[in-house]
Amino acid sequence: MRPSQRRPDELRPLRFTRGFTRHAEGSVLVECGDTRVLCTASVEARVPPFLKGQGKGWITAEYGMLPRATDQRTQREATKGKQGGRTLEIQRLIGRSLRAAVDLRALGERSITLDCDVLQADGGTRTASITGAWVALRDAVDGLLARGELASSPIHSQVAAVSVGIYNGVPVLDLDYAEDSAAETDMNLIMDGEGRFIEVQGTAEGAPFSREELDALLALGAAGIRQIQTAQRAALGQ
Amino acid sequence: MRPSQRRPDELRPLRFTRGFTRHAEGSVLVECGDTRVLCTASVEARVPPFLKGQGKGWITAEYGMLPRATDQRTQREATKGKQGGRTLEIQRLIGRSLRAAVDLRALGERSITLDCDVLQADGGTRTASITGAWVALRDAVDGLLARGELASSPIHSQVAAVSVGIYNGVPVLDLDYAEDSAAETDMNLIMDGEGRFIEVQGTAEGAPFSREELDALLALGAAGIRQIQTAQRAALGQ
Amino acid sequence: MRPSQRRPDELRPLRFTRGFTRHAEGSVLVECGDTRVLCTASVEARVPPFLKGQGKGWITAEYGMLPRATDQRTQREATKGKQGGRTLEIQRLIGRSLRAAVDLRALGERSITLDCDVLQADGGTRTASITGAWVALRDAVDGLLARGELASSPIHSQVAAVSVGIYNGVPVLDLDYAEDSAAETDMNLIMDGEGRFIEVQGTAEGAPFSREELDALLALGAAGIRQIQTAQRAALGQ
Amino acid sequence: MRPSQRRPDELRPLRFTRGFTRHAEGSVLVECGDTRVLCTASVEARVPPFLKGQGKGWITAEYGMLPRATDQRTQREATKGKQGGRTLEIQRLIGRSLRAAVDLRALGERSITLDCDVLQADGGTRTASITGAWVALRDAVDGLLARGELASSPIHSQVAAVSVGIYNGVPVLDLDYAEDSAAETDMNLIMDGEGRFIEVQGTAEGAPFSREELDALLALGAAGIRQIQTAQRAALGQ
Amino acid sequence: MRPSQRRPDELRPLRFTRGFTRHAEGSVLVECGDTRVLCTASVEARVPPFLKGQGKGWITAEYGMLPRATDQRTQREATKGKQGGRTLEIQRLIGRSLRAAVDLRALGERSITLDCDVLQADGGTRTASITGAWVALRDAVDGLLARGELASSPIHSQVAAVSVGIYNGVPVLDLDYAEDSAAETDMNLIMDGEGRFIEVQGTAEGAPFSREELDALLALGAAGIRQIQTAQRAALGQ
Amino acid sequence: MRPSQRRPDELRPLRFTRGFTRHAEGSVLVECGDTRVLCTASVEARVPPFLKGQGKGWITAEYGMLPRATDQRTQREATKGKQGGRTLEIQRLIGRSLRAAVDLRALGERSITLDCDVLQADGGTRTASITGAWVALRDAVDGLLARGELASSPIHSQVAAVSVGIYNGVPVLDLDYAEDSAAETDMNLIMDGEGRFIEVQGTAEGAPFSREELDALLALGAAGIRQIQTAQRAALGQ
């Protein structure tokens, strides 16, 4: 039995609030149960030095957690003087996943920065960030299209993410914090709209996992991602 | 005429959402017009090294701004590797102002950290932070009282803050960003529930100001703070 | 009774030594009683990036304290790897106050950096820094005029600063360390040559202060600043 | 055809030099083709603060690359003042993978740090690091057993890693730099001696990958890891 | 001919002002021509962690230069966020040289920190720092003796330093900045009261130097140091 | 008797392995007994900002130690976030010494960086680094000559270094760690091919040293350097 009483293959309630703040070109509050992440997309008419003059754009991401997004207050990374390894790992993952969905040449010499800031954490903040950031990215690009700054969309696929894991010996979908901290195995799946994998990251937190367990987790995650992608499209009014 | 069409002595709509997030002992979203700050109060059963063993508690504050809280994206302080001078100045001010309202000995060997994170900025983020943090502090202390961890409240006064300034030659209350960036003089007032000053910070951004202008600003601010304090009490159900 | 036996409205002996070091365009040792600050003005023929190509100059300040300027040795900020919040706050204040006295366009594309280094501290180092830095700035600008690099002075007003506070219930002028560390209220006033305010920063260290107390402090400070400005002009041989 | 003329399922020559340096409790130079990593295991009789007094040990890892391990000189992280995101990600992965093989309670209150320093890079440095670090860890633990500091080995399984990827549309094993930088998909597999997964990390560098491709890569990697584990045991004289 | 018209073996005027600032246990302004360094000695009743509980004391030094001690303003190390290589090298040299003169066991569990801050630079700041710091150290230790905190002096020898170099092909003593920046060879000598060497640091800035040149420099420096040591003793009233 | 049974004037076995790694333009593993340093020379077609457009090149060095090069593991400087004073001092010395051997104008607008990374330490790492770096520099320059990028060699002299010291009252050559950590006096000599001094750095670790001792050390070191230079030339096939 899951702590949340959910069935093994049941997602948490998923909600997108577009336009959550007013300055960003895309601003989406994504809520997966009690996990709430504010994803903003900021468009800037310049690219990092390594891309200058190549006629290509760039998609990057930054991730942060408010100090009291968690049960125990965590130290603010700005006061520590650096981002931790976990933060860097997550923001590299978000950026990489969204770049997989965008034709950077079609974007032109522009950067879009996805800032994913966790207001409240209950497990799955990295997958929620990716899921929400894709919607914010869409809003930012739709704005560029609407203003005529782009003639066609450089986004060629849909991106969503979910976690799966083995909890009390049972493969379960979309782990919350109570499950995540006790899971034997934890896997994050990121997939495109055609059901192909953009990223697979499975970790044996406790005991190593067999090929059979891996297969069960992949199937569970793929089914969950299909539901999430339906919700993303609904949020965008499609 | 003010850009927002407000009268010179008119506050922006002020709203407090208590319990905005679930982990913190106090969690208040304060909105002053389009400025929105999440103020959380975190109680910890320890004090900084310089206070160890003195039977006293501590109140401190940290301030941050999400990168896209502003019209142009600002660099995340965690990636820069340090908090800027403005941030340090503001968080020192918030902490100092709230300590003025608390009997640290009556608090016992506890720390309460007020995290003020700006989700959306439109001028007056430091005064909104102080105003909201006081409500979050009350919620955290009320929790300690309710759980019997404290017998009586160590908070002996109410704290609220507002900005006043001279805009187009006219003293105005509660400046938004459009006014703030064009004001000749900018003043932040922090007052207690008895109408006394906790902090007065006036700066001639453009031209120096006369004693008469200072008097006008002080009067305008004191009237505004009385309204804000009424709203704080209403939010707390008093 | 003040620890120094001074009357409530009595300044400490104030002394300016111009040309204290030989390399800087302006170099003034200012002594307010036992507080001694070396203020140097350095002229450079370039401006910060954000001002490039605008035909305007820049005035900025840096503040430091020698490790043993104080009774207890303080850690050197260069070894800590960063300037503390207090340092940043003070140097921002010095720079802002002096910019209020200068027509940056008339200065041309030049920077003047005021370095205020405290050799010995006994309270009031930030106000002494401002008072001394203005004299150093004058010397640097007079040099530019003498060498024909500027046709007329971009300095349009005189700037001086003093602290006032409530000590043992009595408003007093120009607090030394013994008073400062015990004061209920501490206020720094920065005024121009016409008696107008450039900056007012009042803080309730202990108890909040009333409007009557504020008025008394403002009057005491204004009178003190008039004496300081007379001393500044005398030091410059006017 | 692979640039190295290898068959798709062919590993690069793999060599372990134990006792490569003399100070460390375990010191192994691992060579996978032209990739050479020095893995040292350092035993210390203390644990990190978060484990103090729990009767458990700790395994951790650090990763570095000599500035000219690569074709173009990279900036030394010690002069940059911080480890980059890639470095942190890799060393977290190495530490996590080896902890999966060790009973930390049986290790007692000891730390073993695995330093993996790349002397020469030609792709696959993170998997070579894990493979080599496990051998160094064995040597360090065997020393503890030989000196009677441990009665039985806390290492309960064998750990090895390999990369697989899709290069020119073909799944290949153990990518070198030429393949790695051109691969569409890159996957790192870490497995135990029973053929179970400790970590699976697959990334679509170019195009997303299908379930069929994922299955092919998993099979290819599992076969490669069996060979690597045979070589590890041979190096240890088993 | 030397720029300063001095004979090759002529020191610059040397002056010690003891008690230059009032807080430090030793405070000496040393002036070697236009080079002026404030050397303070701070006594603290604790030792660094690596010496705890060994019944020994510690002598250490820190070195700094005010930004405008030099002809061109240099960036403040506190704003750069770290001490440069030159600074670290000099402060390590000062500390090491003074430790050579002190019986650390006889000092007891105390630290004495020598802060050497250059107010004005004209070459030879590191040797002036050592020369002045020894006088400040004596004053600090004499205070400990006078207050009965030490029964006998732990200082067993006198320490002084001077620079010598080859300028325009001629060995010269006590180089000023004009000579230093043009010298082919630059050597710093640190000697004790018995004419023995504590440190010899010779560098070929331009052309390598022969054994004969080295001998000439050593003789010139030894003679200079005897004069400096006489001046040190005179300053201390001996 | 020396711990290593060597005669006082006996060097440790010295070995150079050229082409130790394959990417760098020069790559030399130098072994002095148990001290092993990998010295790579990296040629880049650019110069630091302060040399831009002057038609001159630059030679610089960086030094590092692997964490377990030493008997006790030392903290990695990349994780500390800065290079220590000892590291900076050594790399400044290496760079300065090699620049003394090169006509920077004849090098053209190129930088050569010598990275000296200690794989195993047993005393004398800085002198071994200089000795090995000169061989690596030669290999890099020979490559430029061979590829026709330079018409004639900018290296005008040979550079080698050795340590000498007073151990148990006896002057000895080429100290290993056991001697170095117990020596009364420690001196590093760096000389050119004509037997002239590039750098002399002598430090009284324990007791100050006399002129006679200094002379003995200089003679011992000069004889050792002649042998080392013979070995350098042999390694280069001359």
Side-chain angles (χ1 to χ4, degrees):
Chain A
M1 181 64 92
R2 306 177 71 173
S4 60
Q5 318 294 328
R6 282 185 283 150
R7 295 184 315 275
D9 65 349
E10 185 179 349
L11 290 174
R12 292 179 284 179
L14 176 64
R15 192 149 63 114
F16 300 92
T17 307
R18 290 164 62 210
F20 186 73
T21 55
R22 71 167 199 188
H23 295 302
E25 284 72 33
S27 174
V28 172
L29 181 77
V30 59
E31 299 174 78
C32 300
D34 273 340
T35 288
R36 291 194 225 157
V37 185
L38 173 53
C39 306
T40 59
S42 297
V43 180
E44 287 166 303
R46 56 190 163 99
V47 289
F50 71 92
L51 278 183
K52 282 243 173 84
Q54 299 186 24
K56 291 172 61 177
W58 191 239
I59 304 285
T60 189
E62 288 188 6
Y63 172 91
M65 232 200 287
L66 295 194
R68 199 55 197 284
T70 46
D71 188 47
Q72 303 294 313
R73 185 178 184 274
T74 53
Q75 200 189 340
R76 191 178 287 268
E77 291 186 323
T79 69
K80 272 203 255 188
K82 62 176 177 180
Q83 294 181 297
R86 180 183 170 277
T87 295
L88 290 169
E89 200 170 305
I90 293 174
Q91 67 190 23
R92 284 160 56 93
L93 175 65
I94 302 170
R96 207 160 60 220
S97 300
L98 291 173
R99 278 195 296 278
V102 176
D103 178 345
L104 295 176
R105 195 160 294 278
L107 180 58
E109 291 222 351
R110 279 181 190 86
S111 295
I112 303 183
T113 302
L114 283 315
D115 284 291
C116 299
D117 285 277
V118 179
L119 305 187
Q120 189 172 278
D122 186 33
T125 64
R126 82 186 68 188
T127 48
S129 294
I130 292 166
T131 296
W134 185 81
V135 179
L137 175 66
R138 274 290 308 268
D139 275 340
V141 166
D142 286 351
L144 289 169
L145 292 167
R147 288 191 302 279
E149 298 184 37
L150 282 175
S152 63
S153 176
I155 302 177
H156 53 65
S157 62
Q158 188 172 352
V159 181
V162 81
S163 74
V164 284
I166 298 179
Y167 175 74
N168 280 343
V170 180
V172 295
L173 178 68
D174 190 19
L175 288 74
D176 58 27
Y177 180 75
E179 293 168 327
D180 192 32
S181 52
E184 294 104 57
T185 289
D186 181 21
M187 179 172 293
N188 293 301
L189 293 182
I190 307 171
M191 297 177 81
D192 73 3
E194 283 69 44
R196 290 174 307 188
F197 297 98
I198 290 173
E199 191 108 8
V200 173
Q201 292 199 336
T203 300
E205 301 284 348
F209 51 100
S210 66
R211 181 60 202 264
E212 292 65 39
E213 289 170 317
L214 175 58
D215 287 346
L217 291 172
L218 291 170
L220 197 57
I225 281 183
R226 278 190 296 272
Q227 295 176 58
I228 293 170
Q229 291 179 336
T230 302
Q232 283 176 317
R233 288 189 302 264
L236 287 164
Q238 301 177 306
Chain B
M1 182 63 91
R2 305 178 71 172
S4 60
Q5 318 295 328
R6 283 185 283 149
R7 293 184 318 273
D9 65 348
E10 186 178 349
L11 289 173
R12 291 180 283 180
L14 177 62
R15 193 147 64 114
F16 300 91
T17 306
R18 290 164 62 207
F20 185 74
T21 56
R22 71 170 202 189
H23 296 300
E25 284 73 33
S27 173
V28 172
L29 181 77
V30 59
E31 298 174 78
C32 300
D34 273 339
T35 287
R36 293 194 225 155
V37 186
L38 172 54
C39 305
T40 58
S42 297
V43 179
E44 288 166 302
R46 56 189 163 101
V47 289
F50 70 89
L51 279 182
K52 282 245 170 84
Q54 298 186 24
K56 292 170 61 176
W58 189 240
I59 304 286
T60 189
E62 288 188 6
Y63 172 91
M65 238 204 277
L66 295 193
R68 200 54 199 282
T70 46
D71 187 47
Q72 303 294 314
R73 186 177 183 273
T74 54
Q75 200 190 341
R76 192 177 286 269
E77 289 185 323
T79 68
K80 273 202 257 190
K82 61 176 179 180
Q83 294 181 297
R86 179 182 172 277
T87 295
L88 290 170
E89 199 171 305
I90 292 175
Q91 69 190 21
R92 284 159 57 92
L93 175 67
I94 301 171
R96 206 161 61 221
S97 299
L98 291 175
R99 280 195 296 279
V102 176
D103 178 347
L104 295 176
R105 194 159 297 280
L107 179 59
E109 291 223 352
R110 271 181 197 90
S111 294
I112 303 183
T113 301
L114 283 313
D115 284 290
C116 299
D117 284 276
V118 180
L119 304 188
Q120 187 172 278
D122 187 34
T125 63
R126 83 185 68 188
T127 49
S129 293
I130 292 167
T131 295
W134 183 81
V135 179
L137 175 65
R138 274 289 308 270
D139 275 341
V141 165
D142 286 350
L144 289 169
L145 291 166
R147 291 191 301 278
E149 298 183 39
L150 282 175
S152 64
S153 176
I155 301 177
H156 52 65
S157 60
Q158 189 173 353
V159 180
V162 81
S163 75
V164 285
I166 299 178
Y167 175 75
N168 278 344
V170 179
V172 294
L173 179 68
D174 190 18
L175 288 74
D176 57 28
Y177 180 74
E179 292 169 329
D180 192 30
S181 53
E184 292 105 58
T185 290
D186 180 23
M187 180 172 288
N188 293 302
L189 292 182
I190 307 172
M191 298 179 79
D192 72 4
E194 283 71 44
R196 290 174 308 187
F197 297 99
I198 290 173
E199 190 107 12
V200 174
Q201 292 199 337
T203 300
E205 300 285 346
F209 49 100
S210 65
R211 180 60 202 266
E212 290 67 38
E213 289 170 317
L214 174 58
D215 288 346
L217 291 172
L218 292 169
L220 197 59
I225 282 182
R226 277 191 298 273
Q227 296 176 57
I228 293 170
Q229 290 178 335
T230 302
Q232 283 176 318
R233 289 189 303 263
L236 288 163
Q238 300 178 308
Chain C
M1 181 64 91
R2 305 178 71 172
S4 61
Q5 319 295 326
R6 282 185 283 150
R7 296 185 313 275
D9 64 349
E10 186 180 347
L11 289 174
R12 291 179 284 180
L14 178 62
R15 194 148 62 113
F16 299 92
T17 306
R18 291 164 61 208
F20 185 73
T21 54
R22 71 168 201 187
H23 294 301
E25 284 72 35
S27 174
V28 173
L29 181 77
V30 60
E31 298 174 78
C32 300
D34 273 340
T35 287
R36 290 195 227 156
V37 185
L38 173 53
C39 306
T40 58
S42 298
V43 179
E44 288 167 301
R46 56 191 165 100
V47 290
F50 70 91
L51 278 182
K52 283 245 172 85
Q54 300 187 23
K56 292 172 62 177
W58 190 240
I59 304 285
T60 188
E62 289 188 6
Y63 172 92
M65 242 208 273
L66 295 193
R68 201 53 199 282
T70 46
D71 188 46
Q72 303 294 314
R73 184 175 185 277
T74 53
Q75 201 191 340
R76 191 178 288 269
E77 290 185 324
T79 69
K80 270 201 258 189
K82 62 174 178 181
Q83 295 180 296
R86 180 185 171 274
T87 295
L88 289 170
E89 197 170 308
I90 292 175
Q91 69 190 20
R92 283 160 56 95
L93 175 66
I94 301 171
R96 206 161 61 219
S97 299
L98 291 174
R99 279 195 295 279
V102 176
D103 178 346
L104 295 176
R105 195 159 294 278
L107 180 58
E109 290 222 351
R110 275 181 193 87
S111 292
I112 303 183
T113 303
L114 283 314
D115 284 290
C116 299
D117 284 277
V118 180
L119 304 187
Q120 189 173 275
D122 186 34
T125 64
R126 82 185 70 188
T127 50
S129 293
I130 292 167
T131 295
W134 185 80
V135 178
L137 176 64
R138 273 291 306 270
D139 275 342
V141 166
D142 286 352
L144 289 170
L145 291 167
R147 289 192 301 280
E149 297 184 38
L150 282 176
S152 65
S153 177
I155 304 178
H156 53 63
S157 61
Q158 189 172 352
V159 179
V162 80
S163 74
V164 287
I166 299 178
Y167 175 74
N168 280 343
V170 180
V172 295
L173 178 68
D174 190 19
L175 287 75
D176 57 28
Y177 180 75
E179 293 169 328
D180 192 31
S181 53
E184 292 105 58
T185 289
D186 181 21
M187 180 172 290
N188 293 300
L189 293 181
I190 307 172
M191 298 178 79
D192 72 3
E194 284 69 45
R196 291 174 307 189
F197 297 99
I198 290 173
E199 190 106 12
V200 174
Q201 291 199 338
T203 301
E205 300 284 346
F209 50 99
S210 66
R211 179 61 201 263
E212 291 68 39
E213 289 170 317
L214 174 59
D215 288 345
L217 291 171
L218 291 170
L220 196 59
I225 280 183
R226 276 191 298 271
Q227 295 176 59
I228 293 170
Q229 290 178 335
T230 301
Q232 283 176 317
R233 287 189 303 261
L236 287 165
Q238 300 179 310
Chain D
M1 182 62 93
R2 305 179 72 174
S4 60
Q5 318 294 328
R6 284 186 282 150
R7 294 186 314 277
D9 64 349
E10 185 179 349
L11 289 175
R12 290 179 286 180
L14 178 62
R15 194 147 63 113
F16 299 92
T17 306
R18 290 165 60 210
F20 185 73
T21 55
R22 70 168 202 190
H23 295 301
E25 285 71 34
S27 174
V28 174
L29 180 77
V30 60
E31 299 174 78
C32 300
D34 274 339
T35 287
R36 292 194 225 154
V37 185
L38 174 54
C39 305
T40 59
S42 298
V43 179
E44 288 167 301
R46 58 192 161 96
V47 290
F50 70 89
L51 280 181
K52 283 246 172 82
Q54 299 186 26
K56 291 172 61 178
W58 189 238
I59 305 285
T60 189
E62 288 187 7
Y63 172 91
M65 238 205 276
L66 294 195
R68 200 55 199 282
T70 45
D71 187 48
Q72 302 294 314
R73 184 178 185 273
T74 54
Q75 201 190 340
R76 193 178 285 270
E77 289 185 323
T79 68
K80 271 202 258 190
K82 61 176 178 182
Q83 295 181 296
R86 180 184 170 276
T87 295
L88 290 169
E89 199 170 306
I90 292 175
Q91 69 189 19
R92 284 160 56 93
L93 174 66
I94 302 170
R96 206 160 62 220
S97 299
L98 291 174
R99 280 195 295 278
V102 177
D103 178 346
L104 295 176
R105 194 159 297 279
L107 179 60
E109 291 224 350
R110 275 181 194 86
S111 295
I112 303 184
T113 302
L114 283 314
D115 284 291
C116 299
D117 284 277
V118 180
L119 304 188
Q120 189 172 279
D122 186 33
T125 64
R126 84 185 66 190
T127 49
S129 294
I130 291 167
T131 294
W134 184 80
V135 180
L137 176 65
R138 274 288 308 267
D139 276 340
V141 165
D142 285 350
L144 290 169
L145 291 166
R147 290 191 301 280
E149 297 184 40
L150 282 176
S152 65
S153 175
I155 302 178
H156 52 66
S157 61
Q158 187 173 353
V159 180
V162 81
S163 73
V164 285
I166 298 178
Y167 174 74
N168 279 344
V170 179
V172 294
L173 178 68
D174 190 18
L175 289 73
D176 57 28
Y177 180 74
E179 292 169 328
D180 192 32
S181 52
E184 292 104 60
T185 290
D186 180 23
M187 179 172 291
N188 294 301
L189 292 183
I190 307 173
M191 298 177 79
D192 72 3
E194 283 70 45
R196 289 173 308 187
F197 297 98
I198 290 173
E199 191 107 12
V200 174
Q201 292 200 337
T203 300
E205 299 285 345
F209 49 102
S210 66
R211 180 60 201 268
E212 291 67 37
E213 289 170 316
L214 174 58
D215 287 346
L217 291 172
L218 292 170
L220 196 59
I225 282 183
R226 276 191 298 272
Q227 296 175 58
I228 294 170
Q229 290 177 338
T230 301
Q232 283 177 317
R233 287 189 304 262
L236 288 163
Q238 298 177 312
Chain E
M1 181 64 93
R2 307 179 69 172
S4 61
Q5 318 294 329
R6 282 186 282 151
R7 294 185 315 275
D9 64 348
E10 186 179 346
L11 289 173
R12 291 179 285 179
L14 178 63
R15 194 148 64 112
F16 299 94
T17 306
R18 291 164 60 209
F20 185 74
T21 56
R22 70 169 202 188
H23 295 300
E25 284 72 34
S27 174
V28 173
L29 180 77
V30 59
E31 300 174 77
C32 301
D34 273 340
T35 288
R36 293 193 224 156
V37 185
L38 174 54
C39 306
T40 59
S42 297
V43 180
E44 287 167 301
R46 56 190 164 101
V47 290
F50 70 90
L51 280 181
K52 283 244 172 85
Q54 300 187 23
K56 290 171 62 177
W58 190 240
I59 305 285
T60 189
E62 288 188 5
Y63 172 92
M65 236 203 279
L66 296 194
R68 200 53 199 282
T70 45
D71 187 48
Q72 303 294 314
R73 185 176 185 274
T74 53
Q75 200 189 342
R76 191 178 287 269
E77 289 184 325
T79 67
K80 272 201 258 190
K82 62 175 176 181
Q83 295 180 297
R86 179 184 170 276
T87 295
L88 290 169
E89 198 170 306
I90 292 175
Q91 69 189 20
R92 282 159 58 93
L93 175 66
I94 302 170
R96 206 161 61 221
S97 299
L98 292 173
R99 280 194 295 277
V102 176
D103 178 346
L104 295 176
R105 194 158 298 278
L107 180 59
E109 290 223 351
R110 277 182 192 87
S111 295
I112 304 184
T113 301
L114 282 315
D115 285 291
C116 299
D117 284 277
V118 179
L119 304 187
Q120 189 173 278
D122 187 32
T125 63
R126 83 184 69 188
T127 50
S129 293
I130 292 167
T131 295
W134 184 80
V135 178
L137 176 64
R138 275 289 308 268
D139 276 341
V141 165
D142 286 351
L144 289 169
L145 291 166
R147 289 192 302 279
E149 296 183 41
L150 281 175
S152 65
S153 176
I155 303 178
H156 52 66
S157 62
Q158 188 172 352
V159 180
V162 80
S163 74
V164 284
I166 299 179
Y167 174 74
N168 278 345
V170 180
V172 295
L173 179 68
D174 191 18
L175 288 75
D176 56 27
Y177 180 74
E179 292 169 328
D180 192 32
S181 53
E184 292 104 59
T185 291
D186 180 22
M187 179 172 289
N188 294 301
L189 293 181
I190 308 173
M191 298 177 78
D192 73 2
E194 284 69 43
R196 290 175 307 188
F197 297 99
I198 291 173
E199 190 108 10
V200 174
Q201 291 199 338
T203 300
E205 300 284 347
F209 50 101
S210 66
R211 180 61 201 265
E212 292 66 39
E213 289 170 318
L214 174 59
D215 287 346
L217 291 172
L218 292 170
L220 197 59
I225 282 183
R226 278 192 296 273
Q227 296 176 57
I228 293 170
Q229 290 178 338
T230 302
Q232 282 176 318
R233 288 189 302 263
L236 287 164
Q238 299 176 309
Chain F
M1 182 63 92
R2 306 179 71 172
S4 60
Q5 319 294 328
R6 282 185 285 150
R7 296 186 313 278
D9 64 348
E10 187 180 346
L11 290 173
R12 291 180 283 181
L14 177 62
R15 194 147 62 112
F16 299 91
T17 306
R18 291 164 62 209
F20 185 73
T21 55
R22 69 168 202 187
H23 295 302
E25 284 72 34
S27 173
V28 174
L29 181 77
V30 59
E31 297 174 78
C32 300
D34 273 340
T35 288
R36 291 195 226 156
V37 185
L38 173 53
C39 306
T40 58
S42 297
V43 180
E44 288 167 302
R46 57 190 163 99
V47 289
F50 70 90
L51 279 182
K52 282 245 173 82
Q54 299 187 24
K56 292 171 61 179
W58 190 238
I59 305 286
T60 189
E62 288 189 5
Y63 172 91
M65 234 200 285
L66 295 195
R68 200 55 198 283
T70 47
D71 188 48
Q72 302 294 314
R73 185 176 184 276
T74 53
Q75 200 189 340
R76 193 178 285 270
E77 290 185 323
T79 67
K80 271 202 254 189
K82 62 175 177 181
Q83 295 180 297
R86 179 183 170 278
T87 295
L88 290 170
E89 199 170 306
I90 292 175
Q91 69 190 21
R92 284 160 56 93
L93 175 66
I94 302 170
R96 207 160 59 219
S97 299
L98 291 174
R99 279 195 296 277
V102 177
D103 178 345
L104 296 175
R105 195 159 295 279
L107 180 59
E109 291 221 351
R110 275 181 192 86
S111 295
I112 303 183
T113 302
L114 283 314
D115 285 290
C116 299
D117 284 277
V118 180
L119 304 188
Q120 189 173 278
D122 186 32
T125 63
R126 81 185 71 188
T127 49
S129 293
I130 292 167
T131 294
W134 184 79
V135 179
L137 176 64
R138 273 291 306 269
D139 275 341
V141 165
D142 286 351
L144 289 170
L145 291 167
R147 289 191 301 279
E149 297 185 38
L150 281 175
S152 64
S153 176
I155 302 178
H156 53 63
S157 60
Q158 188 173 352
V159 181
V162 81
S163 74
V164 286
I166 298 178
Y167 174 73
N168 279 345
V170 180
V172 295
L173 179 69
D174 190 19
L175 289 72
D176 57 25
Y177 181 73
E179 293 169 328
D180 192 32
S181 54
E184 294 103 57
T185 290
D186 181 23
M187 179 172 292
N188 293 301
L189 292 183
I190 307 171
M191 297 178 79
D192 72 5
E194 284 70 42
R196 291 174 306 188
F197 297 99
I198 290 172
E199 192 107 11
V200 174
Q201 293 200 336
T203 300
E205 300 286 346
F209 50 100
S210 67
R211 178 59 201 266
E212 290 67 38
E213 290 171 315
L214 174 58
D215 288 346
L217 291 172
L218 292 170
L220 196 58
I225 281 182
R226 276 190 297 273
Q227 296 176 58
I228 294 170
Q229 290 177 336
T230 301
Q232 283 176 316
R233 286 189 304 263
L236 287 164
Q238 300 180 308

